[in-house]
Amino acid sequence: MLSKEERFELAASYRTKSDEAIAAAELCLNDNDKRCYRAAYNRAWYATMQLMTAATYEKLLDEEPPSDMDYWSHRRQRSLFKKLLYEAGQHRNTDSKDLRAFIDVLLDWRVVADYGCPDEVLFDRQQVEQAIGRAKSLRHRIYSIIGKK
């Protein structure tokens, strides 16, 4: 079992990775090269995933990643975030319901971005802007629960 100090060290690392991922998503979008839209979508998901992981380490102290890893699967992390919202008393909030639903969409489309046929143009600028905007909203919601350090 991880100590509280180890959990907070890992959380700090995931917070940094999340900041880097959202910055990379914006750089990919602002490059105005459609070939970068997949990467922007991927980075938007990881900005969200990594901050959800930090939140889990900091707030859900009874949750441990699988014994052979320092992290949870994407689908498990998604369910842990929903648990975190519930425990923070934010699960009934309409905005939280929208954000939880968007986590599902963001994850599903991240899979398409990563594993879809590279010859297809799957995302347009508006879709990527929406993904980044929602990732920022999710990050803002997570920070409202865990605080911004």
Side-chain angles (χ1 to χ4, degrees):
M1 183 170 226
L2 295 168
S3 70
K4 194 170 183 177
E5 293 78 25
E6 290 170 317
R7 293 180 75 89
F8 279 97
E9 285 176 23
L10 285 166
S13 173
Y14 279 102
R15 283 174 178 254
T16 299
K17 290 177 184 181
S18 177
D19 292 343
E20 292 169 352
I22 201 69
E26 290 175 324
L27 286 171
C28 288
L29 178 66
N30 293 331
D31 189 35
N32 288 321
D33 184 342
K34 291 179 183 179
R35 295 175 299 173
C36 295
Y37 289 169
R38 287 175 189 269
Y41 216 97
N42 171 286
R43 296 293 82 204
W45 164 254
Y46 275 97
T48 302
M49 168 70 175
Q50 289 161 338
L51 198 55
M52 288 190 303
T53 301
T56 302
Y57 276 122
E58 291 179 20
K59 296 294 183 183
L60 298 177
L61 300 178
D62 59 326
E63 294 292 339
E64 289 283 330
S67 60
D68 60 336
M69 295 185 250
D70 287 338
Y71 54 89
W72 296 267
S73 71
H74 293 249
R75 300 225 180 262
R76 179 68 180 139
Q77 186 57 66
R78 179 180 60 181
S79 66
L80 289 172
F81 177 67
K82 291 175 183 180
K83 178 181 176 182
L84 179 65
L85 285 175
Y86 185 83
E87 289 186 3
Q90 296 191 21
H91 60 289
R92 290 190 187 106
N93 179 311
T94 302
D95 186 43
S96 290
K97 290 178 185 176
D98 291 344
L99 292 174
R100 287 192 319 260
F102 193 72
I103 289 171
D104 297 341
V105 171
L106 193 59
L107 174 58
D108 291 344
W109 278 101
R110 192 280 309 177
V111 171
V112 170
D114 286 355
Y115 303 108
C117 178
D119 297 332
E120 298 173 9
V121 176
L122 297 173
F123 303 106
D124 61 29
R125 183 175 182 85
Q126 183 179 7
Q127 290 170 307
V128 175
E129 286 173 344
Q130 181 184 30
I132 292 170
R134 292 291 177 94
K136 286 180 174 182
S137 293
L138 284 162
R139 285 167 42 90
H140 178 74
R141 174 55 51 91
I142 296 167
Y143 279 130
S144 75
I145 295 169
I146 65 174
K148 189 162 181 150
K149 298 176 185 175

